[in-house]
Amino acid sequence: MVDSEGNDLTASGILEKADVYLFNPKGFVRMVPAGASSAFLFGDDRDERLTLVAWGNVKEDTLVTTEVAPGTSLEDARLLLRRHAEGTHIPVTDLFYCRKELNGADMEDTGDAPQTRGGMREDGVTLVMERMAAGVSVHMIGFTTKYPEGGSACHLVVRGAGTEMDFTGKAVGDEAGYRPVSYADEAGDIHTEPFHVFPTCGEQHIAVDIYRRGEKLCTVTQNSKFEPICTPAGKYTGILLDFRHTTLRVSVTVLSWGEVLQDTEI
């Protein structure tokens, strides 16, 4: 399994585990086993259109896979966010996804005849995985000036695209709500630890609710240019909330994966 640039995600350790599902036009067929060489193999005894769906880094402590029974469609097969005891959702892992339509032209040409097992042909395919998580961090500057002694009693809830993701890679279901870990620095400014969410794009966007002692103080849905806040897949979105002015100023910075807003000048 490789990324879009051909880098081996397994060898690099970025991809810790993978689950591969085989579908035909009637729905789910079965899981795809891994061969001894760690190449994922599949077999089929007749020519038909097949679809492979691969998820990378799906871990049971953050995501639940619904029962995928034979015949389940791509749209009905789902990953579900887990919840904390108080009801907010647990951020996702460094999630990867691939959907590959298969036909004879898609098979790797190794120069050898296809291997057979139990009378079924086995062919190798390369799965190009895309990151299906969006990184987020939120930073509040001057919050304790506007709300004295509010830092330690403050928490954020970041609301965004659905609580589920179907096997087409679309976020669906109810609105998710993540409560990230936050801390105050020496200046009293408040920052969240970077965390991962389902990506938002197009008509989807996120909202940041700010609470103090259980009371919601405000909700932020746009930057200072009145543009909705989106969290693209495979990127880190840094949200800066500046309370030092008469009106709240909101700026959004989209960074490459692995960068965080703390590494830039605030």
Side-chain angles (χ1 to χ4, degrees):
M1 294 185 177
V2 300
D3 63 16
S4 59
E5 298 178 352
N7 300 310
D8 188 328
L9 294 171
T10 303
S12 67
I14 295 174
L15 196 65
E16 298 180 15
K17 66 183 295 286
D19 303 291
V20 186
Y21 301 76
L22 180 66
F23 290 79
N24 66 16
K26 296 180 180 179
F28 175 66
V29 178
R30 59 183 171 84
M31 301 294 294
V32 177
S37 64
S38 297
F40 284 98
L41 305 176
F42 72 95
D44 192 63
D45 58 357
R46 64 185 185 278
D47 292 330
E48 67 176 341
R49 182 172 58 85
L50 300 172
T51 301
L52 282 178
V53 171
W55 291 103
N57 295 338
V58 174
K59 299 182 180 180
E60 294 183 357
D61 57 346
T62 60
L63 290 165
V64 179
T65 305
T66 59
E67 179 183 0
V68 186
T72 302
S73 68
L74 293 168
E75 292 79 10
D76 289 337
R78 305 283 177 89
L79 300 179
L80 281 66
L81 292 172
R82 285 191 179 275
R83 291 179 180 269
H84 290 292
E86 90 283 358
T88 58
H89 294 94
I90 299 174
V92 301
T93 55
D94 189 4
L95 188 65
F96 282 83
Y97 170 79
C98 174
R99 175 180 175 181
K100 187 174 182 68
E101 306 293 337
L102 299 175
N103 55 50
D106 291 318
M107 308 310 171
E108 292 181 350
D109 183 7
T110 62
D112 300 322
Q115 298 179 358
T116 61
R117 181 183 299 171
M120 297 195 300
R121 188 184 71 231
E122 292 186 346
D123 302 280
V125 296
T126 298
L127 298 180
V128 180
M129 307 292 287
E130 62 176 313
R131 192 168 256 119
M132 196 54 76
V136 182
S137 61
V138 183
H139 309 267
M140 300 197 299
I141 309 302
F143 179 78
T144 53
T145 300
K146 187 174 182 65
Y147 300 102
E149 300 181 0
S152 60
C154 168
H155 75 268
L156 307 176
V157 173
V158 176
R159 295 183 283 110
T163 55
E164 307 173 13
M165 185 168 286
D166 67 23
F167 276 40
T168 70
K170 180 181 179 181
V172 294
D174 298 328
E175 184 180 64
Y178 307 88
R179 180 175 175 173
V181 175
S182 61
Y183 64 92
D185 62 18
E186 294 180 356
D189 297 329
I190 299 170
H191 312 272
T192 70
E193 298 286 352
F195 61 103
H196 302 156
V197 303
F198 284 159
T200 59
C201 58
E203 296 182 357
Q204 297 176 324
H205 60 272
I206 67 169
V208 180
D209 296 330
I210 303 173
Y211 291 86
R212 183 181 60 172
R213 297 186 179 89
E215 176 189 0
K216 184 190 291 188
L217 299 176
C218 65
T219 296
V220 178
T221 60
Q222 299 175 324
N223 64 17
S224 292
K225 297 179 181 179
F226 305 104
E227 299 167 332
I229 303 173
C230 297
T231 53
K235 301 288 186 179
Y236 260 99
T237 301
I239 304 169
L240 178 62
L241 309 179
D242 191 343
F243 290 88
R244 295 173 297 182
H245 309 276
T246 304
T247 58
L248 175 63
R249 296 185 182 180
V250 181
S251 61
V252 177
T253 304
V254 178
L255 304 167
S256 299
W257 191 261
E259 292 184 85
V260 291
L261 194 59
Q262 291 99 315
D263 294 335
T264 66
E265 182 179 353
I266 296 180

